[in-house]
Each structure stands twice: as C-alpha cells, then as structure tokens.
Amino acid sequence: MSMDSEQLSLLETSTVSSEYIVSQSNELISTPQDLTANEKKIIFTLASLVQPEDENFRTHRIRVKDLADMMGIVSSNFYKKVEETVTELQKKTVVIQSDKSKLVVNWLSSSEYFRGKGFVELEFSEKLRPYLLDLKRNYTGFKLTNVLSLQSAYSVRIYELLKSFEKLKKRSFSIEELRELLVVPPNAYKYYANLKSKVINKAKKDLEEKTDIKFEIEEIKKGKKVVGVTFYIERNDTFFSEVLLNDTAEETAYAAIIRMGIRPNVAKLLTEEYSEERIKDNISYVLHQKNVDHIENLSGYIVKAINEDFVTTRKQTSPKKNTRKDTLPKWFNETEEEDQEENDQDLAAKEFQELLNTLKENKAAKQSTNR
C-alpha cells in the first residue's frame, strides 16, 4: 500500500452542509481579517465541522467538489480554483491582540490537497482553539447558509460583525475602526461617500436579500464630516421564515433536524431515540408557532420540543397571554445587557447538555438491555 493510500485510509470524509452552525468567539470576530470571500467560506465550512464534544481540533477530509459548491464555483476547472484558494489561505495569518499578548497565527496548521483523489484535508491551528472550540460564552453562532451566497468579502465581514451584536440591536463604529476591521486598503474608498456606496450600501442590500439579519444606518457627524456609523440591526423575518418553512414532507427526520441547525452528533442521537413521526411532528409544531421568529436559540428549542414531545404535552394546552415567557425556556428571554446574555448562554449550554446526557443514557441503557 502506498503512503498516499495509507494516509487516505485513516480518515473518513466529513459531510458538509449549508445548514450546519458556525460558532466563533466574539473576540475572533472583532479582529481584523484579511481574507477573500472564498477563503472565509472555507474557514466557516471547517468551523461548522467542529463538534461540541471535541477536545482538540481534528483534521477534516473534505471533498473538493463540496468545497467548490460552498464557494459557489460552477466552472469546469473548480479543482484548480479550490486548490489555489486553499494554497493562498494556508499563507494567511490573523493577529489577535489582548492586554497580555499579541498572537500572530496562521488560520490553518496544515492543508493537504490530494490531486486525482478529489479530497483536501484541513486542520485549524491549535492556537485558535480558545476562539473556535468548546465555546461557553461570548460567542456567536449562525447557519453557514447565511454567508455562502455573499460574494463580497466586505459583506461577509459586516454580516459576522453585526450578527455578534444582534441581541444588542445596534453597533457603532468610527470610520477608521470600520476600515480597520474590514481591512480596507489605505488608498481604497478614501472618501466616506465611496465607502458608503461601495461597501456599506452593498452590504445592506446583500444582507437583506441573502441573510437572516438586515440593518439601517445612522451617520455620526463632527460638524459636516461623517466620523462614524451606527448600525441598527434587525432580524430579517422574510428570509428567516422562507428558510424555516420550506416543505419538509419529503425530508427524512435526520435531514429535517440538520436543516434546523442541529449538529450531526445530536441529530444521530435524536433519530436513534425517537420515531421519524415524533421528530417531524415536533419540528412542524415549533415552526408553526406564532412566535417562532422570536425564538433566539431555535435549534436548542427544537431539541427540547422533540425530547419533551411538545405535540403531545402542549398542543392541547390553552396559551396564556404572555405566550413567550410561558412557552420558552428562560434563556430565550431577550435582554440588552451583555452580562445577562453571558449568563443566559451558560444556562442554555447547561440545560442543553442535560438533554444530550439523557439521550446518551437512554441509548446506553437500550444497548445494555439488548445484550
């Protein structure tokens, strides 16, 4: 057996999906990143494969065709274009500043492109572990599908910057700070009018048409000069509803769970524990609630619905006036306080982990009985 064949046999191919969730620390999001739109999409795709139970970064083998699809490359020479993008990404670094240090790190510790095999193997640099792995607080998650249709690197960056402040509903930047975070070259869009037209307004249009958030802006002026911009962030309900309410009748229960942004390992546990009918009925029940657009952690809420069988336990219950608080777990309540948001995330993670532990215990008990 050749070295290449031996190495290829060690890894299974990772399944990628636009429905997977990308999770990043807010500290990483708020760091300047000089990546193209396609380089960002590779990073996001790799980040979406990180599992909650992972203790270390794993090398992921991904089909080149899958990466091309994620990047929107439709030409016949997509193998070459993906290889070129991966090669350039391997050279890119990110600089993360803190009070204690200045970390300069490559995004990838390794990238191996297997010519003629149709695979590429990628792994994050270990120093990025605190920013992409085992996140408990001060992080932002979003479905991969939100960024895949964005062709502008500036639109991608504005999306993730604003998404990290979605709960607070607004974010202000000085013009210089915005240029720095977007890594706008010094000689590009030197006048605010050009920056607004080519970058901000384009992102405004892109996000409203293709993502789950949208924004309005208010200019901050010093005299007649615009020195900053405040972004007012809203959920894009039209996009949100269209994505959620796609017909699920022909989907398997597993596919329906994945489309709700639930990770593959959790989806596997759910499908092993509960019937196809129970899973799909509870997903449908949640999606047709009047207040579905206001559920912040929809994937966690759907796991809870399937586990507790809301169709049976809640369908016949008359709703109270304060439907939101009566229906949703306490971590879904909106707040504009960042400290409260962190506490809510901790509680959500704890309760969500309890659900997973229950599913795992049930699975172990069944296996023990079968023996």
Side-chain angles (χ1 to χ4, degrees):
M1 182 182 288
S2 69
M3 181 73 74
D4 279 356
S5 299
E6 204 171 331
Q7 189 165 7
L8 277 169
S9 67
L10 297 177
L11 288 177
E12 292 183 1
T13 303
S14 296
T15 301
V16 301
S17 169
S18 61
E19 304 300 331
Y20 289 174
I21 300 294
V22 180
S23 296
Q24 307 172 88
S25 74
N26 292 337
E27 187 176 359
L28 179 61
I29 291 173
S30 62
T31 296
Q33 299 177 17
D34 188 14
L35 298 176
T36 67
N38 279 341
E39 288 167 352
K40 284 292 290 183
K41 289 172 187 177
I42 291 178
I43 293 298
F44 288 147
T45 300
L46 189 57
S48 76
L49 297 174
V50 174
Q51 298 296 311
E53 71 273 14
D54 287 350
E55 295 181 357
N56 297 291
F57 286 132
R58 293 187 289 129
T59 300
H60 286 278
R61 183 202 293 175
I62 305 172
R63 290 185 179 88
V64 174
K65 180 64 168 64
D66 288 346
L67 276 183
D69 290 343
M70 291 294 181
M71 294 156 62
I73 299 173
V74 295
S75 60
S76 58
N77 64 339
F78 67 85
Y79 283 102
K80 181 180 179 182
K81 290 190 175 182
V82 171
E83 182 178 8
E84 288 172 350
T85 304
V86 169
T87 300
E88 288 304 307
L89 177 58
Q90 180 67 63
K91 303 173 187 175
K92 297 289 182 75
T93 62
V94 60
V95 180
I96 304 174
Q97 303 263 15
S98 71
D99 294 337
K100 298 179 180 179
S101 70
K102 175 183 176 181
L103 172 65
V104 182
V105 59
N106 286 83
W107 285 96
L108 301 176
S109 64
S110 68
S111 60
E112 188 167 5
Y113 191 100
F114 292 89
R115 294 190 182 91
K117 301 290 185 180
F119 300 116
V120 61
E121 291 181 2
L122 306 173
E123 183 178 0
F124 279 124
S125 293
E126 181 60 25
K127 285 280 190 176
L128 289 174
R129 181 175 172 175
Y131 310 100
L132 293 165
L133 187 70
D134 193 27
L135 302 174
K136 294 291 192 297
R137 59 174 63 199
N138 287 331
Y139 71 92
T140 297
F142 55 83
K143 272 192 178 187
L144 189 53
T145 188
N146 285 288
V147 293
L148 295 181
S149 296
L150 301 176
Q151 299 304 312
S152 163
Y154 295 138
S155 294
V156 172
R157 281 294 285 146
I158 287 175
Y159 171 81
E160 61 180 334
L161 286 166
L162 298 188
K163 187 68 177 177
S164 67
F165 276 79
E166 184 181 12
K167 288 182 184 295
L168 300 182
K169 303 190 185 303
K170 68 176 183 178
R171 175 70 162 97
S172 296
F173 302 93
S174 70
I175 298 302
E176 288 309 309
E177 180 186 14
L178 186 60
R179 290 179 64 92
E180 180 183 359
L181 287 170
L182 300 180
V183 194
V184 179
N187 294 324
Y189 313 124
K190 293 179 70 173
Y191 298 103
Y192 168 73
N194 291 336
L195 184 72
K196 179 181 179 181
S197 171
K198 302 295 185 181
V199 176
I200 298 174
N201 283 348
K202 176 168 175 42
K204 185 177 187 299
K205 183 174 183 290
D206 285 347
L207 268 57
E208 189 161 354
E209 289 180 354
K210 301 169 182 176
T211 78
D212 59 354
I213 60 171
K214 58 183 179 179
F215 65 85
E216 298 292 337
I217 65 166
E218 180 181 2
E219 295 169 351
I220 304 168
K221 294 184 177 182
K222 189 173 183 180
K224 292 184 178 181
K225 183 179 180 181
V226 177
V227 295
V229 177
T230 297
F231 291 80
Y232 292 93
I233 310 155
E234 305 173 55
R235 174 171 286 181
N236 190 356
D237 288 337
T238 301
F239 177 88
F240 191 74
S241 298
E242 286 176 357
V243 168
L244 287 181
L245 298 176
N246 286 338
D247 184 13
T248 61
E250 302 303 318
E251 287 183 317
T252 64
Y254 181 85
I257 293 170
I258 291 296
R259 193 162 63 79
M260 295 302 108
I262 297 166
R263 290 188 179 278
N265 63 323
V266 182
K268 187 171 184 293
L269 283 171
L270 289 169
T271 53
E272 288 173 348
E273 178 66 20
Y274 302 118
S275 70
E276 187 106 351
E277 181 181 17
R278 172 166 170 165
I279 290 169
K280 294 178 75 171
D281 284 353
N282 277 283
I283 290 175
S284 179
Y285 172 73
V286 170
L287 295 185
H288 286 87
Q289 288 184 20
K290 290 181 179 178
N291 61 346
V292 65
D293 286 348
H294 300 292
I295 299 174
E296 299 294 344
N297 183 354
L298 183 67
S299 58
Y301 186 64
I302 284 176
V303 172
K304 185 177 179 69
I306 296 168
N307 193 57
E308 297 182 9
D309 197 12
F310 282 6
V311 168
T312 301
T313 61
R314 300 193 178 191
K315 201 168 186 179
Q316 304 304 322
T317 304
S318 299
K320 298 178 182 178
K321 286 185 179 180
N322 195 347
T323 306
R324 181 183 174 85
K325 288 188 178 179
D326 181 60
T327 304
L328 304 184
K330 48 194 168 186
W331 73 82
F332 293 118
N333 293 333
E334 292 181 350
T335 175
E336 293 192 1
E337 296 294 331
E338 192 168 353
D339 290 341
Q340 182 62 43
E341 182 185 340
E342 291 178 19
N343 292 335
D344 288 348
Q345 288 178 349
D346 288 344
L347 183 57
K350 182 179 179 182
E351 294 190 11
F352 186 74
Q353 190 59 49
E354 287 174 357
L355 290 178
L356 293 188
N357 290 341
T358 299
L359 290 172
K360 289 176 181 177
E361 288 168 6
N362 291 345
K363 180 181 178 182
K366 281 185 178 181
Q367 290 175 339
S368 177
T369 302
N370 292 335
R371 287 174 193 162

